Amino acid sequence: MAAAPNVPNVAEVPDGLNEPIESIESISRTPRHSLDDIVALDALALSDAIRERRVSCREVMQAYLGHIARYNPTVNAIVSLRDADALLAEADARDRQLANGEYLGWMHGMPHAVKDIASCAGLPTRKGSPLTSAAPDTHDSISVSRIRAAGAIFIGKTNVSEFGLGSHSYNPVFGTTRNAYDPTRIAGGSSGGAGSALAMRMLPVADGSDFMGSLRNPAAYGNVYGFRPSQGRVPYGPAAEVFVQQMSTEGPMGRTVADVAQLLATQAGYDMRSPLSIAGDASHFPGALQRDVTDVKGVKLGWLGDYGGYLPMEDGVMALCEASLKDFAALGCEIEACAPDFAPQRLWQTWLTLRHWMVNGSLGEFYADPSRRGKLKPEAQWEVEGGEGLRATDVFRASADRSEWYRALARLFERYDFLLLPSAQVFPFEAETHWPKAVAGRPMDTYHRWMEVVIGPTLAGLPAISVPVGFDPRGLPMGMQIIGPAQADLAVLQLARAHEQCTQWVSRHLPPMLAAR
């Protein structure tokens, strides 16, 4: 059994790191028609303004295109951007629909860019690789089709790491996505383009996917919210294989928890093409968030920390996360250090085996062709090669270990309502660095070891959201994961919402480029 981490006495956490605020005036309550005010609106506020025809879809599109033209060259978050005239024509069509009493849904006329891993009809899906086609896709993924049905106008894609591998969004097709708070540093990945675009107000809300923290890590690095839903909550596909490739799941990102819940409600729900998808209706999630913060009084939180010293952490990460425990205590939560009855080294080996196996299955065909192998980045080749040496018994044993890990966390949830864990082990590092070779003086033996902190919820298929917890002295953001029991997605969102009401990190701390406008 791993040693339990120390939990600081919340009364002893220094003031000033996570100081709550009583209230905040939001521009979203008084939308006006200037370009800056439109892009400043959170997604639900923008939706209301469009539906009530206080702002036209054309005005919205003009505002976003102008904002993207100004800031995207710096952060490189949105790629495959469509022609402005075509987008304005689509916005005009949405205005005509409203004038005729036709309202498609909460995203009616809202600009949206899809993560460049998911298929979106009319746009290429490059996945950050020269091995993919530049021709437009002819179909939508299940999740994208639901966003389309809700009325969104697709303006382009958001940048990713090559084939979604690695938590740094750089690739040979579109280049490097940069951090909204410091463009010399990374935005995280693989949903780095989504996180940076969202933080820079170039999108009202963003979709992404999460294999090894790809919704949580960019959210932490962008001072926004990224939610990895329970396995099956958002149907996967359509795809050739729909049973075992389920450690990755699509999900929402937003600047408010309410926006995250609304996009999840759009993405979620059973689809017969995805046999493991959850049949439960998530449409009530957004309304169920409207609870008083006192509703979380007495909630029991288990603080996992750094797994008793097992995980190396850059100086300052634990301090910010531990300081955030003070916010949960202020809400009336009861916080206690805990540890799962499962060796973390065993968890890592389970991860490596299953990751090698799955990446080998998806990229092995490229690797087997000598003319294409060289176009895979070295880290992708390493993953495929790791899968080549696996036996069936290795995979089965790893799957059994994964099952035991789930049971170990289930035993913790008999005592705690939620578990807390940092969202990353390092702050955003220099954009030219592919991955850190050491963390806190400890060598990293793989390209993703520095993100080991996120594999636990992935392997257990549990809902986990990254919530902002503040900034280090350099102004670099960090987040913390709230992890819930299986299929307790709404409960996780409700706790995140209570924390948001207490701290208001997103609205209080704009990226410096926007704050200086």
Side-chain angles (χ1 to χ4, degrees), residues 55-407:
V55 62
S56 71
C57 298
R58 169 172 272 268
E59 287 177 298
V60 170
M61 186 60 70
Q62 287 174 324
Y64 271 93
L65 291 179
H67 195 71
I68 290 167
R70 181 175 180 182
Y71 292 109
N72 197 52
T74 301
V75 296
N76 191 36
I78 297 178
V79 298
S80 300
L81 186 65
R82 294 177 56 206
D83 176 72
D85 289 339
L87 291 171
L88 289 170
E90 289 189 27
D92 290 339
R94 290 288 192 272
D95 282 327
R96 288 192 294 271
Q97 288 175 314
L98 283 176
N100 293 328
E102 184 181 356
Y103 182 66
L104 298 180
W106 81 279
M107 299 184 80
H108 188 109
M110 285 172 52
H112 189 82
V114 174
K115 181 178 178 179
D116 200 21
I117 294 291
S119 297
C120 180
L123 288 166
T125 303
R126 299 306 309 272
K127 301 181 181 180
S129 171
L131 293 169
T132 59
S133 172
D137 262 328
T138 58
H139 69 281
D140 291 338
S141 71
I142 296 171
S143 177
V144 170
S145 70
R146 293 175 173 182
I147 293 172
R148 188 186 296 274
I153 298 176
F154 296 113
I155 64 172
K157 291 291 195 81
T158 53
N159 202 25
V160 298
S161 53
E162 184 180 326
F163 286 113
L165 299 177
S167 287
H168 178 6
S169 296
Y170 69 92
N171 63 70
V173 180
F174 296 116
T176 300
T177 294
R178 296 175 177 270
N179 192 283
Y181 285 84
D182 182 347
T184 70
R185 295 178 178 265
I186 76 165
S190 60
S191 307
S196 185
L198 190 61
M200 289 299 298
R201 278 60 177 176
M202 294 192 296
L203 292 175
V205 73
D207 68 90
S209 54
D210 187 307
F211 194 164
M212 192 178 183
S214 293
L215 282 159
R216 292 163 283 164
N217 162 253
Y221 285 180
N223 189 44
V224 295
Y225 295 88
F227 183 52
R228 178 190 167 92
S230 293
Q231 181 174 316
R233 178 68 65 189
V234 176
Y236 170 77
E241 196 289 307
V242 294
F243 283 99
V244 300
Q245 290 275 11
Q246 295 294 288
M247 286 212 298
S248 178
T249 180
E250 292 170 307
M253 300 179 74
R255 291 189 297 271
T256 70
V257 177
D259 288 353
V260 168
Q262 187 64 61
L263 183 55
L264 178 64
T266 301
Q267 297 173 301
Y270 176 76
D271 187 288
M272 66 179 300
R273 294 168 290 178
S274 182
L276 301 183
S277 56
I278 297 172
D281 182 13
S283 62
H284 66 290
F285 282 10
L289 292 181
Q290 304 306 315
R291 301 171 62 185
D292 190 88
V293 293
T294 57
D295 289 345
V296 301
K297 186 176 182 179
V299 165
K300 293 180 171 58
L301 306 180
W303 168 236
L304 296 170
D306 57 5
Y307 289 156
Y310 169 78
L311 293 172
M313 296 278 181
E314 182 180 350
D315 185 44
V317 171
M318 288 290 284
L320 279 177
C321 291
E322 289 172 348
S324 74
L325 300 181
K326 181 180 178 182
D327 298 324
F328 289 103
L331 292 168
C333 298
E334 301 173 9
I335 308 158
E336 182 178 291
C338 68
D341 188 13
F342 195 98
Q345 297 89 340
R346 180 184 175 194
L347 183 67
W348 178 247
Q349 188 55 52
T350 299
W351 168 260
L352 283 183
T353 299
L354 294 175
R355 173 93 164 188
H356 283 329
W357 176 53
M358 292 183 179
V359 176
N360 181 280
S362 61
L363 299 183
E365 182 180 346
F366 293 132
Y367 183 87
D369 182 350
S371 67
R372 295 189 288 177
R373 181 183 304 171
K375 294 182 180 179
L376 290 172
K377 68 180 181 179
E379 293 84 359
Q381 295 186 43
W382 174 81
E383 292 277 19
V384 174
E385 289 164 357
E388 293 291 307
L390 293 174
R391 300 172 300 167
T393 52
D394 296 326
V395 176
F396 184 82
R397 186 180 302 112
S399 186
D401 286 345
R402 181 187 181 190
S403 302
E404 181 53 38
W405 166 248
Y406 171 82
R407 287 187 285 269

